[in-house]
Amino acid sequence: MDYNPYHKQRFNKHDYLRALIWGLIFSFVAYVFQIYRTPNRDILIKLSNSFLLGGGLQLVYAAFSYINKEGFFDVGIVGFKQLGSAIDSGIRGRKGMQDLPDLQSYKEEKLKTRRVNLPTLVSGAIYLVLAIITAVVFSYR
């Protein structure tokens, strides 16, 4: 069976729900910390800051999943694997190195499973919109 990189397993509704719940957890933790650090601040400011943190963390994670999907870290990973194998074979006194993939075969193998985390990207955007809405409501209040 030929591999087609454009027909990977689709995200389902549980993946989107999981991303929304993680954003809610991040936002709740940020809100709790704000209650103790700045107790006299308005509730809408706390909510806006909390949603901003939850959305920002999720968008950063989605950006790193995109960078990883493109193979930005592959050279370093393969290099460290080969370096570790060379050190290990030198310490143990073995003549040959273990069978390690070259960069191209490593990229081809990893391309089969890598994808951008779309649910996290969507959830992060939703939380950023919530942060903007609460900031606007506070400013007009």
Side-chain angles (χ1 to χ4, degrees):
M1 182 172 157
D2 290 333
Y3 167 70
N4 186 348
Y6 300 105
H7 294 96
K8 294 184 180 176
Q9 182 180 1
R10 297 186 185 275
F11 290 107
N12 57 22
K13 63 182 176 183
H14 298 291
D15 295 325
Y16 287 96
L17 183 62
R18 186 178 309 120
L20 286 171
I21 289 172
W22 273 110
L24 187 64
I25 290 170
F26 294 145
S27 298
F28 179 74
V29 169
Y31 185 77
V32 168
F33 278 124
Q34 288 184 72
I35 287 174
Y36 293 111
R37 295 291 295 165
T38 55
N40 56 353
R41 191 176 279 176
D42 191 65
I43 189 170
L44 288 176
I45 294 175
K46 291 178 189 176
L47 280 176
S48 178
N49 292 341
S50 301
F51 289 145
L52 181 66
L53 180 76
L57 286 175
Q58 287 191 318
L59 287 179
V60 166
Y61 179 77
F64 274 120
S65 74
Y66 174 75
I67 291 170
N68 187 34
K69 180 189 83 67
E70 294 299 318
F72 184 76
F73 303 113
D74 289 346
V75 172
I77 292 171
V78 171
F80 277 116
K81 282 185 177 184
Q82 291 178 349
L83 177 66
S85 177
I87 291 172
D88 184 47
S89 65
I91 290 174
R92 294 180 189 227
R94 289 184 282 165
K95 296 285 184 185
M97 292 179 57
Q98 298 173 356
D99 290 333
L100 291 172
D102 59 330
L103 181 62
Q104 186 62 33
S105 62
Y106 180 80
K107 279 188 171 191
E108 288 172 359
E109 184 65 31
K110 288 297 180 176
L111 186 64
K112 295 176 184 176
T113 59
R114 289 181 178 162
R115 60 184 176 171
V116 175
N117 197 336
L118 188 61
T120 305
L121 180 68
V122 170
S123 176
I126 288 171
Y127 281 104
L128 284 181
V129 168
L130 285 173
I132 292 170
I133 288 172
T134 54
V136 168
V137 167
F138 173 73
S139 67
Y140 283 114
R141 195 175 81 155

